[in-house]
Amino acid sequence: MYPKDSKSEWHRGQGLWSHVPESDWNNWAWQLKNRINSPEKLEKLIELTPEEKEGCNYAKHKLALSITPYFFNLIDREDPNCPIRKQIIPRGNEIHVSPEELLDPVGEENTMPVQGLVHRYPDRVLFLVTSQCASYCRYCTRSRLVSNAQDYNFRPRYEKALNYIREHAEVRDVLLSGGDPLLLNDRRLDFLLGELRSIPHVEFIRIGSRVPVFLPQRITDSLCDVFRKHGPIWLSIHVNHPKECTHDLFDATQKLSYAGVPIGNQSVLLNGVNDNLETMKSLIHRLLMMRVRPYYLYQCDLITGSAHLRTSVMKGIEIIKGLRGHTSGYSVPQYVIDAPGGGGKIPINPEYIEEINDKEIVLKNYEGKIYKYPIKPSGQNAPLPVEGELVLS
Ligand SMILES: *Cc1c(COP(=O)(O)O)cnc(C)c1O
């Protein structure tokens, strides 16, 4: 049963590819092979703005252009401001660098003991297992290495990284990312997850992937078997706009959930994509309907050429303020800034504390009403009234 949403349809269909046999369309290898990965291919399908033409011609030097037919279908081709389009079709603005922007915006390069292994937090590591993705997000925080368009020449070193993890007993949490780990074939994933599982101190294994969103066809029964075999494997997906919550994504997340994979979502706050309360609310409600728990809402990293997609921090705070208390707590993500220079993720919250003094904490609730709570137990504990004297007022 698909969730019902009174506001709009959950997009479905092959759109421009309705002539393609369904068996091809639903095959992830077909989707990858038929990706729109050159300005020429793209211009056959959509009328590009001059801005986009400029961006597309430059993409091969910065971050490759690549869009799966499935995801391309979600674009409203009549609308140059379509929120899907903005995430995935390059624009000339990407070439312009603002002074605050950085090639390595969250300072990963300084904390890589092995190429592709980021050990920033004491008990967990980020393991980059590939530089490839099914499609490329134009605001990619790792565009220096992802898609290998720049001179980075990224090569994951599985054995070295695994050895590092084996030798560091403090690492209890391993996060596979990239690039997109779910582009590895089942055999390779089986190998990597098996190796990690065999390390006694690794308690928690998770994968960051946008494949369910770009390429839901990849979520096959045999992939789910790999997750079952090595589970629990946790998954963080990346959905930014309610239009991405399609029947296909619903099917994919259902399959994963039934294979015992808990799923969270990480969104990036993007200018003109999801930077308003109603869009965000619709998104997180749909995620809950898909058993996906909104995890983080990221302030967009200071990646080079991202100014047109970034939005003010105040906007993010305002959105969280509009959600907390007003809708299901389960649906409210934690808004974070991944600090430039390698400080890690820092929670950014609306202010609910009016005052803290020796006696009490003065709080403001979601409606702006003031409440007080004693700062500590008074210490003057009276004995409980004997039975019969207890009066509830
Ligand atoms: C985001 C991130 C993690 C995981 O952080 P959580 O807050 O535990 O989800 C780990 N390592 C690095 C380098 C990260 O950027």
Side-chain angles (χ1 to χ4, degrees):
M1 230 265 297
Y2 296 111
K4 293 196 176 64
D5 185 313
S6 54
K7 293 193 188 94
S8 61
E9 293 260 337
W10 292 49
H11 186 279
R12 188 175 178 82
Q14 294 182 205
L16 289 178
W17 287 268
S18 53
H19 57 284
V20 170
E22 222 179 301
S23 53
D24 279 346
W25 180 259
N26 292 324
N27 178 334
W28 67 282
W30 183 93
Q31 288 282 340
L32 284 180
K33 206 173 109 203
N34 288 280
R35 281 185 291 181
I36 301 128
N37 52 12
S38 71
E40 295 74 32
K41 285 185 194 170
L42 187 58
E43 280 192 282
K44 284 199 184 115
L45 301 170
I46 190 169
E47 194 181 328
L48 296 178
T49 65
E51 252 280 278
E52 289 170 334
K53 275 185 197 164
E54 191 190 4
C56 287
N57 288 329
Y58 187 76
K60 61 177 178 290
H61 304 296
K62 184 174 186 259
L63 174 70
L65 157 68
S66 186
I67 312 171
T68 56
Y70 161 81
F71 198 71
F72 182 88
N73 252 348
L74 305 186
I75 295 175
D76 176 354
R77 286 178 296 132
E78 309 301 317
D79 179 8
N81 289 315
C82 166
I84 303 294
R85 183 171 183 152
K86 283 184 170 169
Q87 293 182 58
I88 210 78
I89 297 185
R91 280 181 283 167
N93 288 328
E94 287 181 23
I95 302 163
H96 306 295
V97 180
S98 313
E100 70 274 21
E101 292 174 345
L102 304 157
L103 205 54
D104 177 19
V106 298
E108 292 178 335
E109 295 295 331
N110 311 324
T111 45
M112 277 199 199
V114 173
Q115 190 182 98
L117 193 76
V118 184
H119 193 179
R120 169 182 303 141
Y121 297 104
D123 71 338
R124 53 207 192 278
V125 291
L126 172 68
F127 184 0
L128 309 180
V129 297
T130 172
S131 62
Q132 303 300 303
C133 289
S135 299
Y136 294 106
C137 311
R138 302 322 302 173
Y139 49 89
C140 176
T141 196
R142 244 167 250 130
S143 53
R144 70 186 186 282
L145 65 87
V146 161
S147 91
N148 263 333
Q150 302 183 22
D151 296 331
Y152 194 101
N153 204 14
F154 178 80
R155 278 200 300 137
R157 324 265 159 157
Y158 293 167
E159 270 315 319
K160 271 193 175 166
L162 287 168
N163 270 333
Y164 179 90
I165 297 168
R166 286 185 194 107
E167 286 161 10
H168 286 78
E170 72 275 21
V171 176
R172 45 162 288 287
D173 172 357
V174 178
L175 161 50
L176 301 185
S177 183
D180 201 313
L182 296 192
L183 281 195
L184 303 184
N185 64 31
D186 294 352
R187 193 179 41 79
R188 191 156 279 218
L189 276 170
D190 184 32
F191 164 77
L192 275 174
L193 296 176
E195 290 300 304
L196 290 171
R197 261 300 161 236
S198 74
I199 305 173
H201 54 267
V202 173
E203 301 168 356
F204 186 56
I205 303 175
R206 47 177 162 165
I207 297 176
S209 172
R210 209 179 184 189
V211 151
V213 179
F214 285 146
L215 185 66
Q217 299 79 8
R218 171 70 183 98
I219 312 304
T220 57
D221 292 340
S222 58
L223 177 67
C224 289
D225 286 342
V226 173
F227 291 145
R228 253 188 222 102
K229 177 174 168 193
H230 301 291
I233 304 295
W234 291 55
L235 185 70
S236 290
I237 62 172
H238 173 178
V239 188
N240 285 328
H241 190 278
K243 276 183 82 172
E244 294 160 51
C245 298
T246 62
H247 282 241
D248 301 85
L249 179 61
F250 182 86
D251 288 344
T253 53
Q254 171 153 297
K255 261 181 152 164
L256 289 162
S257 292
Y258 287 5
V261 178
I263 312 174
N265 183 60
Q266 317 195 86
S267 296
V268 180
L269 185 64
L270 295 170
N271 180 25
V273 173
N274 56 12
D275 59 341
N276 74 76
L277 182 57
E278 282 319 305
T279 305
M280 200 56 85
K281 221 183 222 176
S282 162
L283 170 65
I284 63 181
H285 288 168
R286 286 184 179 203
L287 290 170
L288 284 194
M289 288 189 267
M290 295 194 290
R291 301 180 177 81
V292 176
R293 166 79 154 102
Y295 179 44
Y296 283 143
L297 171 64
Y298 288 96
Q299 175 65 17
C300 188
D301 292 332
L302 296 173
I303 189 69
T304 47
S306 67
H308 59 296
L309 286 167
R310 282 187 274 123
T311 178
S312 126
V313 175
M314 296 320 293
K315 190 76 213 175
I317 295 175
E318 184 193 310
I319 288 174
I320 298 299
K321 210 170 167 183
L323 297 174
R324 175 64 66 198
H326 297 275
T327 190
S328 320
Y330 259 113
S331 73
V332 183
Q334 173 64 58
Y335 181 40
V336 292
I337 292 182
D338 207 338
K345 298 174 186 75
I346 303 177
I348 308 299
N349 294 310
E351 194 56 84
Y352 295 105
I353 301 176
E354 285 282 293
E355 187 193 336
I356 300 183
N357 57 43
D358 294 351
K359 292 199 186 65
E360 59 194 11
I361 179 167
V362 183
L363 301 160
K364 192 155 68 178
N365 84 344
Y366 73 103
E367 297 166 307
K369 293 184 188 154
I370 301 296
Y371 295 85
K372 292 172 180 174
Y373 185 94
I375 206 76
K376 55 180 183 258
S378 69
Q380 298 166 329
N381 298 334
L384 254 186
V386 293
E387 216 178 329
E389 286 182 8
L390 186 63
V391 179
L392 297 176
S393 55

